[in-house]
Amino acid sequence: MGMISRSILWLSVAIMIFFKPVQVLSKSTIEPCDGSDTCNSMVGYILPTELKISEVSTLFQVDPVSLLGANGIDLSYPDIENQILPAHYFIRVPITCGCVDGIRKSMSVVYKVKAADTLPSIANNVFGGLVTSDQLKDANSITDPDVIDIGQSLTIPLPCSCFNGTDNGLAAIYLSYVVRPGDTMAALGAKYGTTVTDLMTVNAMGTPVISPGDILSIPLAACTSSISKYSSDSHLLVANGSYTITASHCVQCSCGPGNLNLYCAPAPLAVSCSSMQCKKSDLMLGNTTTQPTSGGCNVTTCFYNGFLNGTILTSLSTSLQPQCPGIQVMPNFTGPPSTTTLIGMVPSPSPSPSPGVLPLPKSPSGVISSPIITGFAPANGPTGSSSSAPESLRWVSIASFLLLGLPFVIHFGDCQLFH
């Protein structure tokens, strides 16, 4: 028995000496590009610790209102920007996707180095694996990755995709998603309302095999607009189950859940806004009148047509439809999640088809007023996601596994030794 023990010990030492750790590289979708065009995109971020909504928006340098809209969190919730999101909470962060050195990426986020920061800790702890330490090194022309200064500004090259804002010919916004332990292509497809085949096509994959740390581009069905090409928001695109605030925070445009027709109405906290009444009509933005006839239903709607030089543009549309449309159903707006929410308990990112609105009041003239918005369910990541904080250094007993003839893996931070 002593001979066996010494043999096992010798083998363990030999393995540690002669086998070098193998760097396990994560896969990421790369979209080639040329020119200077941009698009709206998103990254999925898991909070490493409790953070205020304002802190998340500051980290990614995005408008807090845009962050709320992307996740369907009620804008009118009291003191919303100071509400605390729980650790491990999945949140969608809207970003502008550009073209840099022939590859789609976002370079708008700048991070200031803090005490005890390293490139790996910034990549993995702060930004949840959305970027690698090597990418940070290259993007900031760092010669020695072990030497960064407190207060130094680092550009964070975030992954993103545009793919012309479409998926299979339909409007889409792309979410850059970091694969978590337990994720599968089938589960991700089901959660985000797409198929394994589509995910494989978008990400140029030969097989549906994914590993933790891989970054996938996931198409999210979206509502597109037909507003004036001269408008400052002419390329408005809103993911299903979310909303955006536009026209200098005066107009709220929502997508879903019943259809992919963009619906715009006065924002709940709109102040100091130009007129939102359609010309030659008593209708306000978002209002619809219906008049049943023997040949169908005359429908007149006041639509949003853009924002130009501080003026909200509206247009009046009249059509004869087979039947009168029902009440405009809005996605469910809710307050922010409580800090006791666990990521395995959050709802699916796909919007619920259930109505979540109060009945719309009708005036004697048959005018349907703008819906009373009651809330939007948070758009969260797949069940089973976990913290993006790196695992502690873990060692396994090589001797025990060799004795039992079992396979083992030794973890050296981001490196792994397989047997």
Side-chain angles (χ1 to χ4, degrees):
M1 191 66 184
M3 179 66 72
I4 293 176
S5 298
R6 285 193 296 274
S7 298
I8 291 174
L9 178 60
W10 183 88
L11 285 172
S12 300
V13 173
I15 289 172
M16 296 298 293
I17 293 175
F18 295 106
F19 284 78
K20 294 183 179 180
V22 178
Q23 180 82 33
V24 178
L25 300 177
S26 298
K27 299 185 291 291
S28 181
T29 299
I30 295 176
E31 179 189 356
C33 60
D34 59 41
S36 58
D37 63 308
T38 62
C39 74
N40 293 327
S41 184
M42 294 184 184
V43 293
Y45 180 63
I46 296 179
L47 275 63
T49 186
E50 292 182 358
L51 290 173
K52 293 180 181 178
I53 290 174
S54 60
E55 291 174 326
V56 179
S57 66
T58 297
L59 177 64
F60 286 93
Q61 284 136 53
V62 298
D63 182 356
V65 173
S66 298
L67 187 65
L68 295 171
N71 293 277
I73 298 176
D74 189 1
L75 177 64
S76 61
Y77 194 85
D79 197 25
I80 185 63
E81 291 185 24
N82 289 316
Q83 294 301 310
I84 298 175
L85 299 174
H88 315 316
Y89 186 73
F90 182 92
I91 193 166
R92 302 192 299 197
V93 181
I95 60 173
T96 298
C97 186
C99 183
V100 181
D101 298 327
I103 296 175
R104 287 289 182 194
K105 64 180 71 173
S106 175
M107 303 288 281
S108 59
V109 176
V110 176
Y111 176 79
K112 285 197 173 183
V113 176
K114 298 177 176 59
D117 275 346
T118 63
L119 292 185
S121 72
I122 294 171
N124 297 319
N125 296 8
V126 180
F127 288 96
L130 286 166
V131 65
T132 67
S133 55
D134 283 342
Q135 289 169 341
L136 289 176
K137 174 178 173 289
D138 294 341
N140 295 277
S141 301
I142 296 174
T143 54
D144 187 348
D146 295 324
V147 179
I148 53 176
D149 300 321
I150 296 175
Q152 181 178 348
S153 294
L154 298 179
T155 297
I156 310 299
L158 295 174
C160 62
S161 300
C162 292
F163 295 115
N164 296 319
T166 61
D167 178 49
N168 292 325
L170 300 176
I173 290 180
Y174 285 85
L175 170 74
S176 293
Y177 176 84
V178 180
V179 175
R180 311 307 302 171
D183 282 340
T184 65
M185 291 284 278
L188 290 174
K191 290 291 184 182
Y192 288 98
T194 187
T195 64
V196 171
T197 299
D198 193 27
L199 287 175
M200 290 178 62
T201 300
V202 167
N203 292 278
M205 299 170 63
T207 65
V209 177
I210 53 177
S211 302
D214 291 348
I215 300 178
L216 299 177
S217 283
I218 299 179
L220 306 177
C223 295
T224 187
S225 66
S226 57
I227 61 180
S228 170
K229 65 179 181 179
Y230 302 107
S231 172
S232 59
D233 54 2
S234 58
H235 298 293
L236 195 60
L237 196 63
V238 182
N240 192 11
S242 68
Y243 67 89
T244 189
I245 302 295
T246 187
S248 192
H249 289 183
C250 289
V251 176
Q252 176 174 294
C253 295
S254 307
C255 181
N259 56 56
L260 293 178
N261 297 322
L262 193 67
Y263 177 77
C264 299
L269 301 181
V271 294
S272 301
C273 301
S274 65
S275 173
M276 299 189 214
Q277 182 174 340
C278 272
K279 294 180 179 179
K280 300 179 181 180
S281 169
D282 293 332
L283 295 183
M284 297 292 292
L285 178 63
N287 287 167
T288 294
T289 60
T290 59
Q291 183 63 52
T293 68
S294 58
C297 184
N298 285 321
V299 180
T300 303
T301 302
C302 182
F303 284 108
Y304 177 64
N305 200 33
F307 188 63
L308 182 64
N309 297 327
T311 300
I312 295 172
L313 307 178
T314 57
S315 61
L316 200 64
S317 172
T318 301
S319 63
L320 180 64
Q321 299 183 13
Q323 59 185 16
C324 293
I327 293 172
Q328 173 68 39
V329 177
M330 300 286 288
N332 243 352
F333 295 126
T334 60
S338 101
T339 53
T340 59
T341 303
L342 298 178
I343 193 155
M345 300 168 60
V346 295
S348 162
S350 301
S352 169
S354 303
V357 298
L358 300 177
L360 302 184
K362 282 192 178 183
S363 70
S365 64
V367 177
I368 302 177
S369 65
S370 301
I372 301 172
I373 301 171
T374 58
F376 230 69
N380 297 305
T383 299
S385 299
S386 60
S387 169
S388 60
E391 298 174 349
S392 301
L393 189 64
R394 295 181 300 174
W395 294 87
V396 295
S397 171
I398 302 174
S400 299
F401 278 76
L402 284 171
L403 182 63
L404 295 173
L406 299 174
F408 61 85
V409 180
I410 303 176
H411 293 262
F412 296 87
D414 291 333
C415 302
Q416 296 178 337
L417 170 66
F418 297 91
H419 169 74

